[in-house]
């Protein structure tokens, strides 16, 4: 079954925390990790990936940390998930290579529809929307 990994969950929590900060406010990775209840070293690696993809900006030294690289209203949940999980693929045959059986199977179109629907849903949700919604713990 398709399932978001712990890495994906941590990535979402961390970027939502940044989106809840005043624009331009730099946050230390230790602060983000504590607020998001995520191991700091794990989150640091995730945020390095975010920086390479232009989701966050990082600065070193005194006053250094992380800030969103662009408005949270322009960052989709899909971008965050794919930044750490890779492409949304309910079946490997959607990578573009043929199925192991030598060509697309009868269920290929169904997998493609599942992918299209999931991508559409994740594209419709912005980090800003999530940052402004009530938190649900539990």
């Amino acid at each position: 079954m398709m399932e978001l990994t712990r890495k994906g969950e941590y990535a979402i929590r961390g970027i939502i925390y940044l989106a809840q900060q005043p624009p331009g406010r730099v946050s230390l990775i230790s602060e983000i990790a504590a607020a998001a209840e995520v191991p700091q070293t794990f989150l640091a690696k995730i945020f390095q990936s975010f920086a390479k993809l232009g989701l966050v900006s990082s600065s070193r030294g005194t006053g250094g940390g992380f800030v969103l690289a662009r408005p949270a209203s322009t960052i989709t949940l899909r971008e965050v998930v794919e930044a750490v999980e890779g492409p949304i693929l309910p079946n490997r045959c959607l990578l573009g290579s043929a199925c192991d059986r030598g060509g697309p199977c009868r269920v290929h179109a169904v997998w493609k529809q599942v992918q299209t629907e999931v991508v559409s849903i994740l594209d419709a949700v912005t980090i800003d929307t999530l940052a402004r919604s009530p938190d649900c713990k539990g």
Side-chain angles (χ1 to χ4, degrees), residues 57-71:
S57 295
S58 63
S59 55
R60 295 181 178 214
T62 305
F66 293 92
V67 64
L68 291 180
R70 57 184 212 255

Side-chain angles (χ1 to χ4, degrees), residues 18-67:
L18 273 189
Q20 292 171 325
Q21 304 312 302
R25 181 181 177 276
V26 177
S27 299
L28 297 173
I29 196 69
S30 58
E31 170 192 341
I32 302 165
E37 300 175 15
V38 174
Q40 183 175 326
T41 53
F42 200 4
L43 191 64
K45 291 176 185 175
I46 292 169
F47 271 56
Q48 287 171 359
S49 296
F50 283 172
K52 288 178 185 172
L53 294 170
L55 296 176
V56 302
S57 295
S58 63
S59 55
R60 295 181 178 214
T62 305
F66 293 92
V67 64

